[in-house]
Amino acid sequence: MLACELMRRGLVYVTADADLDYVARALASSPMGVVAVVDDNLTPIGIVTRSNLEKARPPVAAELGPIPEFLLQNRRKPVFRGNGKALADIMTTPPIFVPCEARLAEAEKVMAEHRLKRMPVVEGHKLVGVLLRREVAQALSGGRGDATLASLAREPTVLKVAQPEPDVCDIATAGDFRALVAAHERQIESERLTHHQAVMALREQRIRDLAALRLTEGAWRDMLGRARAAAANGLTESMLIRFPAQLCTDGGRAINAPDPHWPETLRGEPADVFRRWRNELRPRGFKIAAQVIEFPEGLPGDAALFLIWGAAT
């Protein structure tokens, strides 16, 4: 049996610029327990599991020690927050993956040697699915004899897929060759369009999730705590929140202009942050500013809201 015959399709994947809060929600909803990180060509560049996310949690104070297990029973798990860390800081990279044509026995050896519970599967360079070690073991448990095990032990651990011998080329006409070139270009364009649509759909879903997100009291207190620490270090401003400019109803154009009506374009947590500033901090002399802080390919990327105190006027 080959990897492509047992792999699970529908693996959740994100690009490296996804924020950890979104990745945590995607991981929680994934029955496979893993989220893949891919580049613009859908090539795996990392994987994220629950153990990766634990690296982003703030450490428990040494004097308190871990929370006893009996206190955690029957309690809802707290909402995961990325604490400002980037996905690249916590993901496992480079990922170990196998081609579709790999035999299950070879895949099992690699998973055992690297202690992997899950392993991505690629077709060419593109991510197409994931193997679960327990399913691989179940598939192989009834069909391997001692002779098979002995032969596997002698095989190298590097996966190699035999390449088919090329057929004899029957040369027809140059026009036939040009038709082959045109067919290849159409295939490349079709793959590019499919990839672009997948990336756009993922981005739109991420924006919808962020627009529905609400500011919690704990997150607001964390923002104010960072601002106080910045002031203690001699700074006159502090970033309250960073978010994709696409979260704004106009894609961040009003913030970039700047247009005095930019607060009306905010959605989700940024809108809540602005309201908290207006209601609680503006009467105390604090100011707020919005700025687009990234311009990938010349377009607004991430934006941020800054709390400003500066000198008294």
Side-chain angles (χ1 to χ4, degrees):
M1 182 179 288
L2 303 181
C4 59
E5 298 176 289
L6 185 66
M7 70 180 184
R8 290 199 182 193
R9 297 184 182 272
L11 174 63
V12 178
Y13 61 87
V14 297
T15 51
D17 61 348
D19 60 83
L20 288 188
D21 298 342
Y22 174 79
V23 173
R25 291 195 299 275
L27 183 61
S29 63
S30 171
M32 305 171 203
V34 63
V35 172
V37 185
V38 300
D39 62 15
D40 290 341
N41 296 317
L42 291 184
T43 301
I45 59 173
I47 60 170
V48 180
T49 63
R50 174 58 56 182
S51 61
N52 293 104
L53 291 182
E54 292 301 324
K55 299 177 183 178
R57 292 190 183 277
V60 178
E63 64 272 13
L64 297 179
I67 301 175
E69 183 65 29
F70 73 89
L71 291 178
L72 298 176
Q73 294 178 355
N74 301 322
R75 286 196 176 189
R76 294 180 60 186
K77 291 185 178 180
V79 176
F80 177 86
R81 300 196 64 83
N83 298 310
K85 287 196 174 183
L87 178 57
D89 295 333
I90 61 99
M91 69 181 184
T92 299
T93 185
I96 298 171
F97 51 83
V98 293
C100 278
E101 302 86 351
R103 290 179 296 171
L104 284 188
E106 294 176 317
E108 184 191 38
K109 285 183 62 181
V110 175
M111 297 177 83
E113 290 175 359
H114 295 277
R115 299 181 181 179
L116 302 178
K117 295 180 180 179
R118 313 160 188 88
M119 184 163 58
V121 180
V122 298
E123 185 172 10
H125 63 80
K126 293 171 58 176
L127 176 72
V128 291
V130 64
L131 285 175
L132 302 183
R133 187 174 178 183
R134 66 175 184 275
E135 295 181 354
V136 173
Q138 290 170 359
L140 293 174
S141 60
R144 293 192 312 191
D146 294 338
T148 303
L149 287 173
S151 66
L152 286 178
R154 293 193 298 269
E155 293 177 357
T157 59
V158 178
L159 292 179
K160 296 182 179 179
V161 180
Q163 298 297 321
E165 292 295 329
D167 296 331
V168 176
C169 180
D170 295 326
I171 297 180
T173 66
D176 293 333
F177 278 32
R178 288 193 292 270
L180 291 175
V181 172
H184 174 75
E185 292 176 346
R186 288 194 298 271
Q187 178 65 25
I188 294 297
E189 178 61 21
S190 175
E191 291 182 357
R192 186 200 64 77
L193 179 60
T194 299
H195 171 250
H196 176 73
Q197 292 172 340
V199 170
M200 293 304 297
L202 183 66
R203 186 171 299 170
E204 290 171 2
Q205 181 59 52
R206 179 189 175 200
I207 295 301
R208 286 195 293 270
D209 290 345
L210 291 176
L213 204 60
R214 299 266 66 89
L215 177 67
T216 65
E217 189 65 28
W220 177 242
R221 294 302 170 193
D222 288 343
M223 294 175 189
L224 297 183
R226 292 196 300 270
R228 178 179 291 275
N233 286 324
L235 303 179
T236 58
E237 64 179 43
S238 175
M239 181 188 297
L240 292 175
I241 186 171
R242 176 173 178 162
F243 55 94
Q246 290 78 14
L247 185 57
C248 299
T249 56
D250 65 346
R253 288 187 294 272
I255 291 178
N256 192 42
D259 185 318
H261 298 290
W262 63 262
E264 300 171 10
T265 69
L266 298 176
R267 293 186 294 174
E269 277 190 303
D272 292 343
V273 169
F274 181 83
R275 282 191 287 269
R276 294 294 294 263
W277 165 81
R278 182 182 58 197
N279 296 335
E280 302 175 21
L281 301 183
R282 183 167 63 177
R284 303 184 184 189
F286 290 94
K287 297 181 180 179
I288 198 169
Q291 182 180 349
V292 178
I293 57 178
E294 276 189 351
F295 289 89
E297 299 181 359
L299 299 175
D302 279 2
L305 298 182
F306 295 86
L307 184 66
I308 302 172
W309 47 96
T313 56

